[in-house]
Amino acid sequence: DTEVTQTPKHLVMGMTNKKSLKCEQHMGHRAMYWYKQKAKKPPELMFVYSYEKLSINESVPSRFSPECPNSSLLNLHLHALQPEDSALYLCASSQDLVRGAHGYTFGSGTRLTVV
Amino acid sequence: SQQGEEDPQALSIQEGENATMNCSYKTSINNLQWYRQNSGRGLVHLILIRSNEREKHSGRLRVTLDTSKKSSSLLITASRAADTASYFCAGDTGGFKTIFGAGTRLFVKA
């Protein structure tokens, strides 16, 4: 299995809702990432987990809360989001923080719309 | 901003022609990767070139890296309509972070 699976593919949520994005990989990768991407822009790093521990938090607002329950799963919990948080949220994994010849493996993303 | 720069921002060519995209960066990198992204989808890893390498090939792809000029180029030969996508360069820094370029939107006309 050489995929990163993200669910849901699309999500519309109100500003008072609580929702979660899920990401799963079974490649034995020990580093997992959340990226945010706005239209026609490159991905922006949000969080990095290495061996299930949070390694990097790029000063992301607390309304985004990551969780890594085990080495295969990565969640992003959302609460009280703003319309400007609407974006494509990408999960990625790599063998470890020192990325090997295959770089990142990205999921297809969750298209989030905050209304 | 630590974002890398890519040029051109957009490129439109005929099927069968070659496409060249350039990437420049400001900080030292351990390696440089190129990714393809179809509209609204995830990024697909194309090729990685390490800082001690100058050129690398993979199928119709040729990547060069000039660390003295802090620049890289991606050449796609004999382009196909299916190559239509956005292409991003991405450099891994010593802090385990990756700096992505702004991207080049390639349109290949059939």
Side-chain angles (χ1 to χ4, degrees):
Chain A
D1 188 350
T2 57
E3 287 188 342
V4 172
T5 304
Q6 287 187 246
T7 55
K9 292 194 185 311
H10 300 275
L11 178 63
V12 179
M13 61 185 289
M15 289 188 283
T16 59
N17 291 160
K18 284 185 180 180
K19 295 287 184 183
S20 297
L21 309 184
K22 296 186 183 302
C23 174
E24 189 169 4
Q25 58 89 13
H26 295 288
M27 294 175 283
H29 287 178
R30 303 316 299 266
M32 296 185 75
Y33 312 79
W34 280 114
Y35 278 89
K36 173 184 176 180
Q37 187 180 26
K38 300 285 256 184
K40 298 184 180 180
K41 295 290 186 182
E44 297 175 24
L45 181 66
M46 299 176 72
F47 302 104
V48 180
Y49 273 83
S50 174
Y51 289 82
E52 299 153 54
K53 287 186 171 27
L54 183 64
S55 294
I56 297 174
N57 175 343
E58 288 290 273
S59 302
V60 179
S62 59
R63 57 185 185 268
F64 296 91
S65 175
E67 179 196 19
C68 189
N70 60 55
S71 60
S72 300
L73 294 174
L74 185 66
N75 299 322
L76 186 63
H77 303 298
L78 314 172
H79 175 54
L81 294 194
Q82 303 296 310
E84 59 265 29
D85 296 322
S86 298
L88 181 67
Y89 287 83
L90 294 163
C91 175
S93 69
S94 62
Q95 286 180 318
D96 56 37
L97 288 180
V98 180
R99 282 168 280 280
H102 300 290
Y104 294 98
T105 301
F106 280 88
S108 295
T110 293
R111 173 71 61 191
L112 174 67
T113 303
V114 182
V115 296
Chain B
S1 168
Q2 291 193 50
Q3 181 177 294
E5 295 178 11
E6 289 187 59
D7 79 274
Q9 289 186 338
L11 179 61
S12 182
I13 59 174
Q14 291 290 140
E15 207 167 28
E17 293 180 340
N18 295 342
T20 300
M21 289 160 263
N22 302 298
C23 167
S24 61
Y25 54 92
K26 295 178 181 174
T27 60
S28 294
I29 58 171
N30 298 322
N31 63 58
L32 192 122
Q33 304 149 60
W34 284 90
Y35 291 85
R36 183 187 75 233
Q37 184 177 35
N38 290 92
S39 181
R41 305 281 294 174
L43 283 75
V44 175
H45 180 259
L46 297 176
I47 195 166
L48 180 149
I49 185 166
R50 300 196 185 282
S51 58
N52 61 354
E53 297 176 306
R54 292 295 168 259
E55 187 171 313
K56 203 160 183 180
H57 298 255
S58 177
R60 294 185 296 113
L61 306 180
R62 173 178 167 252
V63 169
T64 62
L65 179 64
D66 187 334
T67 52
S68 66
K69 294 181 180 177
K70 291 187 166 58
S71 67
S72 174
S73 68
L74 171 67
L75 168 68
I76 303 174
T77 60
S79 63
R80 305 165 182 167
D83 294 328
T84 294
S86 291
Y87 291 82
F88 293 94
C89 66
D92 274 350
T93 69
F96 304 118
K97 294 183 184 181
T98 302
I99 299 173
F100 281 84
T104 293
R105 292 192 303 281
L106 173 66
F107 182 63
V108 181
K109 292 177 279 189

